[in-house]
């Protein structure tokens, strides 16, 4: 068997997230089924991490073991044909046997897209705001996030978390006309973390929450200050980083 690292793009609108579930349609489940049909044997994909229902990816990473006698380019032509336009394996490379998509990752980058009015053509990949936001306040909120913080107050509880500390290396908003993009890169992310950060920052920028409360929630996760979750559809996993 040879191990390959796959880079996968998908529209998560009609999926119940990445991770296989017993009854629901997931990205991992559809891909594994396609690989198994093409190769005529059971195949196990190992993803770098999960994405929630409705979240998209431009750079999801998974690793897979493929029989040595198979031409992976031909295998992927078959897989991409079976999974349809919602999912595509965009790139592959052979990696050493010890490689692990999740445990070898040193960073991830997400992008969240907001529009300042409903845009029908972007409705599946953006959050359309119905009320105005102060862009300078969004930028101030984002600037506060650079560094290491305990994000327990901005995440959904997960008993598998060995720590809720995350080191943010990049956090900024970029505006182009009626489109606002938030980019965030960190060594790791907690479940719902990016969406809760975005939702809460928007609340602050709409005057529905004070900057002091946002700072307190960031600095003291036990403060029990309510946070707000942005819709899944605006979130895209952009890239996963590994040591060279």
């Amino acid at each position: 068997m040879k191990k390959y690292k796959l880079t996968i793009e998908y529209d998560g609108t009609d999926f119940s997230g990445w991770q296989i579930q017993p009854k629901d349609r997931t990205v991992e489940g559809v891909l594994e089924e396609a690989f198994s049909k093409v190769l005529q044997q059971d195949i196990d994909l190992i993803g770098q991490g999960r994405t929630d229902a409705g979240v998209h990816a431009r750079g999801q990473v998974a690793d897979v073991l493929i029989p040595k006698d198979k031409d992976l380019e031909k295998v992927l032509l078959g897989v991409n044909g079976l999974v349809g336009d919602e999912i595509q394996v965009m790139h592959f490379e052979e990696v050493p046997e010890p490689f692990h998509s999740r445990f070898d990752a040193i960073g991830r980058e997400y992008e969240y897209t907001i529009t300042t009015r409903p845009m029908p053509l972007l409705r599946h990949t953006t959050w359309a705001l119905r009320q105005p936001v102060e862009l300078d306040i969004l930028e101030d909120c984002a600037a506060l996030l650079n560094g290491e913080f305990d994000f327990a107050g901005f995440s959904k509880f997960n008993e598998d978390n060995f720590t809720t500390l995350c080191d943010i290396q990049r956090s900024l908003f970029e505006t182009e006309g009626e489109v606002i993009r938030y980019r965030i890169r960190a060594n790791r992310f907690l479940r719902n973390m990016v969406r809760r950060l975005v939702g809460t920052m928007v609340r602050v920028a709409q005057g529905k929450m004070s900057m002091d409360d946002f700072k307190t929630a960031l600095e003291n996760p036990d403060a029990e200050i309510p946070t707000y979750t942005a819709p899944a559809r605006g979130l895209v996993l952009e890239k996963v980083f590994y040591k060279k």
Side-chain angles (χ1 to χ4, degrees):
M1 303 288 274
K2 289 183 179 180
K3 180 172 280 192
Y4 292 93
K5 172 187 168 189
L6 309 176
T7 302
I8 304 156
E9 181 176 330
Y10 55 85
D11 177 344
T13 302
D14 295 324
F15 291 96
S16 296
W18 163 265
Q19 190 173 38
I20 284 180
Q21 299 180 32
K23 297 181 180 180
D24 296 325
R25 183 172 181 257
T26 69
V27 178
E28 184 182 26
V30 169
L31 276 170
E32 283 196 1
E33 182 179 359
F35 269 101
S36 298
K37 283 183 178 179
V38 171
L39 294 169
Q40 294 296 296
Q41 65 183 80
D42 290 338
I43 291 296
D44 185 24
L45 282 178
I46 306 297
Q48 64 79 32
R50 71 179 67 184
T51 53
D52 291 334
V55 174
H56 319 291
R58 190 170 283 110
Q60 172 69 303
V61 173
D63 61 80
V64 63
L65 288 169
I66 301 291
K68 290 182 179 180
D69 62 341
K70 300 297 183 180
D71 182 334
L72 194 62
E73 287 193 17
K74 292 182 179 179
V75 170
L76 292 182
L77 279 174
V79 168
N80 282 338
L82 285 173
V83 297
D85 294 340
E86 294 170 294
I87 308 171
Q88 290 288 283
V89 180
M90 305 301 294
H91 178 73
F92 73 90
E93 61 180 289
E94 188 175 347
V95 290
E97 179 66 29
F99 176 83
H100 194 286
S101 295
R102 178 183 176 189
F103 298 131
D104 289 349
I106 60 173
R108 285 97 170 157
E109 183 166 309
Y110 282 88
E111 179 179 285
Y112 194 98
T113 305
I114 296 167
T115 58
T116 56
R117 66 168 177 85
M119 294 185 177
L121 296 181
L122 301 180
R123 68 190 185 280
H124 294 307
T125 56
T126 61
W127 178 20
L129 299 182
R130 302 285 178 168
Q131 299 178 29
V133 290
E134 295 289 339
L135 295 177
D136 57 337
I137 294 179
L138 281 179
E139 292 167 358
D140 289 344
C141 287
L144 290 173
L145 294 174
N146 288 290
E148 186 175 74
F149 296 93
D150 185 340
F151 287 97
F154 287 94
S155 64
K156 189 172 183 178
F157 175 75
N158 184 348
E159 61 184 11
D160 294 333
N161 285 335
F162 62 91
T163 178
T164 49
L165 293 175
C166 301
D167 181 20
I168 309 299
Q169 295 127 21
R170 186 185 191 200
S171 172
L172 57 89
F173 279 95
E174 298 173 335
T175 304
E176 184 178 347
E178 297 171 306
V179 177
I180 305 166
R181 290 186 175 88
Y182 177 60
R183 303 183 191 276
I184 182 169
R185 177 180 173 180
N187 64 328
R188 60 194 299 272
F189 288 92
L190 308 176
R191 191 173 181 187
N192 288 166
M193 176 177 153
V194 179
R195 292 168 56 200
R196 289 199 183 184
L197 285 171
V198 171
T200 306
M201 289 189 286
V202 166
R203 295 280 292 189
V204 176
Q206 290 178 331
K208 299 176 181 178
M209 180 177 179
S210 71
M211 180 68 81
D212 285 342
D213 278 349
F214 180 69
K215 290 179 181 177
T216 300
L218 182 62
E219 295 167 359
N220 181 10
D222 296 322
E224 296 186 355
I225 291 176
T227 57
Y228 301 87
T229 305
R233 62 183 176 273
L235 186 60
V236 177
L237 171 62
E238 287 287 325
K239 189 172 183 180
V240 183
F241 298 89
Y242 295 88
K243 290 180 180 179
K244 294 183 179 179

